[in-house]
Amino acid sequence: MHVVIRVILPGQTETSPSRDSMQLFVVMKRGEDWWIKKLLNTRKLTLERQFFLDDFDSLSAEAQRQVTDLVAGLKQRHQADQSRVFNNDRWLIGFLPRLATKF
């Protein structure tokens, strides 16, 4: 029996492909009962992601640090942008009822 699992991380609304995993069960039937004999649990990795990781691993330690720093900076910028959108929406939601009462 083969199972694929997708995970949504806390604070996110979409599944995270890097967290996809697969489970493989080896089952046997004894009489009327099914028994799990073996279980393999592993991350699911696309060829594109594997090629990227292979390329990343082939970089020098300094180059890997630079890529890691770049990704961390992009993530921080994205989170800051999301926070500004959330705060602007929250301000607008609080402002609209006050605006409506003036007319």
Side-chain angles (χ1 to χ4, degrees), residues 66-102:
Q66 289 175 355
V67 171
T68 301
D69 291 347
L70 174 64
V71 170
L74 290 171
K75 184 177 179 181
Q76 284 179 339
R77 189 177 328 157
H78 174 73
Q79 288 172 338
D81 290 346
Q82 293 299 98
S83 177
R84 276 195 292 279
V85 168
F86 174 75
N87 287 334
N88 287 342
D89 288 349
R90 203 169 58 187
W91 175 84
L92 185 59
I93 289 169
F95 177 72
L96 287 177
R98 290 192 304 261
L99 182 63
T101 60
K102 294 183 179 192

Side-chain angles (χ1 to χ4, degrees), residues 26-91:
V26 177
V27 295
M28 286 180 43
K29 187 172 184 180
R30 287 192 185 155
E32 297 296 315
D33 298 325
W34 287 94
W35 293 78
I36 297 174
K37 299 302 279 183
K38 302 287 180 186
L39 166 65
L40 172 67
N41 187 31
T42 187
R43 289 278 172 92
K44 181 179 170 190
L45 193 62
T46 64
L47 281 177
E48 292 82 10
R49 193 170 295 271
Q50 182 62 58
F51 292 149
F52 172 79
L53 292 172
D54 290 343
D55 288 342
F56 181 81
D57 288 341
S58 72
L59 297 173
S60 68
E62 174 60 22
Q64 287 183 9
R65 187 192 61 73
Q66 289 175 355
V67 171
T68 301
D69 291 347
L70 174 64
V71 170
L74 290 171
K75 184 177 179 181
Q76 284 179 339
R77 189 177 328 157
H78 174 73
Q79 288 172 338
D81 290 346
Q82 293 299 98
S83 177
R84 276 195 292 279
V85 168
F86 174 75
N87 287 334
N88 287 342
D89 288 349
R90 203 169 58 187
W91 175 84

